[in-house]
Amino acid sequence: MRLLVAEDEPDILRSLALALRDEGYAVDTAATGTDALYKALETEYDALIVDLMLPELDGFSILATLRTRKNTPVLLLTARDSTADRVRGLDAGADDYLVKPFDLPELLARVRALLRRSSGNPRPILEAGSVLIDPASRKVTLHGNEIPLTAREYALVEYLVRNKGTVVSRTALYEHLFDESEDSLSNLLDVHVSNIRKKLGHDFIVTRRGHGYSFES
Ligand code: CA
């Protein structure tokens, strides 16, 4: 899952990005509203975390343009507990909001809830045959036994299972699993897929030659 965090206070931006990367998300950052809108339109993010008050373009203006083109879930961060701002933000197309200062565990839980709702599967535990995936703890079990996965392997498994039944292209996987600062080495994906098959079974991920990968339960 790839997120964009738009925040103009450098300390908050840095610590948020760090905390989200620790959770296994690919994270891009923007420090101005203009940059945030540009990136949000150019990249298929799984969710956006947008500070309401940003230089150049505020959160309301970002939403106004974004919502004419995209459904990307948006969590708004508001600096003060102003009902008027929250109502305006939600009516402009935000999906949720959080008042600053917020506790990190709450932000992480709200992001998980947004991703759950937008994937069309509201259940907190994802089922993939005998494999169970818990996005809150990022634990994966096979026949009840916990299977250790690297952060990237976990992200790949979760993404494919959330999109089960559809063929996910390699391009889409690169877009959703790697952030803007990473080099996309074309063979890396195959290495992760091969490692996942060793851990979860050879049939867990189906290769669609020339198209990408899919998970079929
Ligand atoms: Ca701000």
Side-chain angles (χ1 to χ4, degrees):
M1 299 284 156
R2 183 168 171 187
L3 310 174
L4 174 68
V5 182
E7 164 65 72
D8 58 320
E9 288 168 56
D11 287 348
I12 300 181
L13 182 61
R14 215 174 7 248
S15 61
L16 258 184
L18 198 65
L20 289 162
R21 285 189 187 119
D22 267 358
E23 290 292 303
Y25 297 109
V27 181
D28 291 352
T29 58
T32 67
T34 318
D35 194 30
L37 180 60
Y38 173 77
K39 287 180 176 174
L41 292 175
E42 290 302 306
T43 303
E44 292 305 315
Y45 291 107
D46 295 291
L48 313 179
I49 299 169
V50 178
D51 182 31
L52 185 58
M53 291 305 153
L54 287 169
E56 297 170 20
L57 211 57
D58 66 16
F60 301 125
S61 313
I62 292 172
L63 281 164
T65 306
L66 182 75
R67 284 293 175 251
T68 63
R69 306 232 328 244
K70 290 195 165 186
N71 300 325
T72 320
V74 174
L75 172 65
L76 268 191
L77 304 178
T78 67
R80 60 210 145 93
D81 193 4
S82 152
T83 309
D85 277 357
R86 297 199 310 256
V87 168
R88 194 177 156 202
L90 291 168
D91 281 341
D95 299 272
D96 198 4
Y97 68 86
L98 203 51
V99 177
K100 289 193 209 171
F102 51 81
D103 290 328
L104 195 56
E106 184 176 2
L107 177 122
L108 297 174
R110 284 179 186 275
V111 169
R112 286 194 296 273
L114 274 187
L115 295 173
R116 218 162 43 223
R117 289 199 295 269
S118 73
S119 74
N121 183 352
R123 281 187 288 180
I125 304 286
L126 299 170
E127 266 186 66
S130 343
V131 176
L132 295 183
I133 299 163
D134 179 359
S137 61
R138 281 178 296 140
K139 280 196 177 125
V140 173
T141 59
L142 172 65
H143 299 298
N145 302 313
E146 188 176 337
I147 306 294
L149 297 178
T150 66
R152 196 74 79 192
E153 288 164 8
Y154 172 83
L156 183 51
V157 166
E158 185 187 340
Y159 193 78
L160 286 175
V161 170
R162 282 201 191 278
N163 292 281
K164 72 177 164 188
T166 62
V167 178
V168 179
S169 70
R170 296 173 63 89
T171 310
L173 283 174
Y174 277 114
E175 193 162 34
H176 288 275
L177 302 184
F178 297 87
D179 70 39
E180 58 195 351
S181 66
E182 292 174 293
D183 286 327
S184 43
L185 299 166
S186 60
N187 66 338
L188 222 53
L189 212 48
D190 302 302
V191 174
H192 293 312
V193 167
S194 143
N195 287 337
I196 290 167
R197 283 177 174 149
K198 280 180 202 145
K199 295 174 182 180
L200 295 175
H202 187 74
D203 299 334
F204 191 77
I205 296 172
V206 181
T207 303
R208 305 284 178 187
R209 295 263 167 246
H211 298 285
Y213 297 103
S214 68
F215 165 79
E216 324 252 327
S217 54

